[in-house]
Amino acid sequence: KVLVVHGGIGKDCFLPPDPADIERVREKYAIPDRFLFYIGSTRPNKNLPRMLDAFEEFIKRYPEHEDLCWVLVVKPDRFFDPFFASVRERGLLGRIQIHEQVSEADRRVFYHLATLLYFVTKFEGFGLPVLEAQAQGLPVLASTHGALPEIAGKAAILCDPDDVDSIVDGLARYFHDPALRDRMIAAGYENVKRFSWDKAAQEVLDMYNHLLS
């Protein structure tokens, strides 16, 4: 038998970034007006090569989104160079920005300014960026794999991470339904209420009491 205790997110994740931080970060990183946002590593489970395929296919199919970019904040690892080489070979350096790890304050600004969290990974044990995004009012495109459906709830668009067309269709669904963004923001705020460290602590205490009873 299993008792599940979800992790939580800190209360500071809900705080809007300071206006001065917004302007500083926007200028420091030359952040585009509209962008998909990814934060994490470049390990194989993160599915970045297929997400790259889908991003390239989306902007080919829908040239009206010529201003849409993809901004990544990544932790450099041994899988980074092949991914960056693929971006360069496809001639997408003008549409894709890659930054190394940033401060917590800067990260909050990225979530605040982004158009959509692009997080169609193949496996997550929890998926903290989904909750951080929802706490900042950022809609989420995630995957049907791993923990993401459980964590994202009904507040995200879910795609098959192994199917480029599924990811492209998810992007198209989001960008071609003007009313969807507001609904996803409201659903995200509601979903993220399920995850707090106070709740996690209480559930652990309840588990101990249950085992000792």
Side-chain angles (χ1 to χ4, degrees):
K1 294 183 179 180
V2 177
L3 297 174
V4 177
V5 177
H6 289 115
I9 62 171
K11 296 178 180 178
D12 57 333
C13 291
F14 294 87
L15 298 175
D18 185 275
D21 283 337
I22 294 175
E23 292 309 311
R24 175 183 57 79
V25 171
R26 193 194 298 272
E27 182 177 350
K28 177 180 178 180
Y29 298 101
I31 295 179
D33 291 334
R34 291 203 314 149
F35 64 96
L36 309 179
F37 181 52
Y38 167 84
I39 184 167
S41 74
T42 58
R43 295 193 305 271
N45 68 296
K46 298 300 185 179
N47 204 36
L48 292 186
R50 192 158 281 118
M51 290 170 65
L52 177 60
D53 291 341
F55 176 71
E56 182 179 37
E57 181 62 24
F58 178 78
I59 60 178
K60 284 181 179 178
R61 287 189 198 177
Y62 304 102
E64 64 269 28
H65 294 288
E66 61 183 0
D67 64 324
L68 183 66
C69 297
W70 182 15
V71 176
L72 301 90
V73 172
V74 301
K75 182 185 299 183
D77 52 39
R78 62 192 178 93
F79 304 102
F80 174 80
D81 288 343
F83 173 71
F84 183 77
S86 183
V87 172
R88 184 177 59 242
E89 290 165 2
R90 298 173 192 225
L92 290 173
L93 289 177
R95 300 288 293 270
I96 296 178
Q97 289 185 3
I98 302 175
H99 307 289
E100 293 189 7
Q101 291 294 89
V102 300
S103 70
E104 184 175 335
D106 289 3
R107 184 173 72 246
R108 192 179 302 134
V109 173
F110 276 98
Y111 281 123
H112 179 78
L113 293 178
T115 307
L116 179 71
L117 181 71
Y118 191 34
F119 204 69
V120 193
T121 63
K122 291 178 69 69
F123 178 80
E124 296 292 332
F126 186 62
L128 183 59
V130 169
L131 299 181
E132 290 179 333
Q134 290 176 340
Q136 282 293 319
L138 176 62
V140 173
L141 183 72
S143 86
T144 54
H145 286 29
L148 292 180
E150 181 178 356
I151 300 306
K154 298 180 179 179
I157 297 173
L158 301 181
C159 307
D160 182 349
D162 296 312
D163 185 342
V164 169
D165 284 335
S166 176
I167 301 173
V168 172
D169 289 345
L171 290 168
R173 177 185 167 193
Y174 174 73
F175 282 106
H176 297 159
D177 182 353
L180 182 57
R181 178 179 175 84
D182 288 342
R183 296 200 302 270
M184 291 182 68
I185 290 173
Y189 282 140
E190 193 63 30
N191 179 66
V192 80
K193 292 178 183 178
R194 298 189 294 136
F195 304 90
S196 73
W197 289 118
D198 288 343
K199 181 181 179 183
Q202 183 61 55
E203 290 179 349
V204 171
L205 180 60
D206 291 344
M207 179 179 65
Y208 288 149
N209 288 331
H210 171 75
L211 294 172
L212 292 171
S213 64

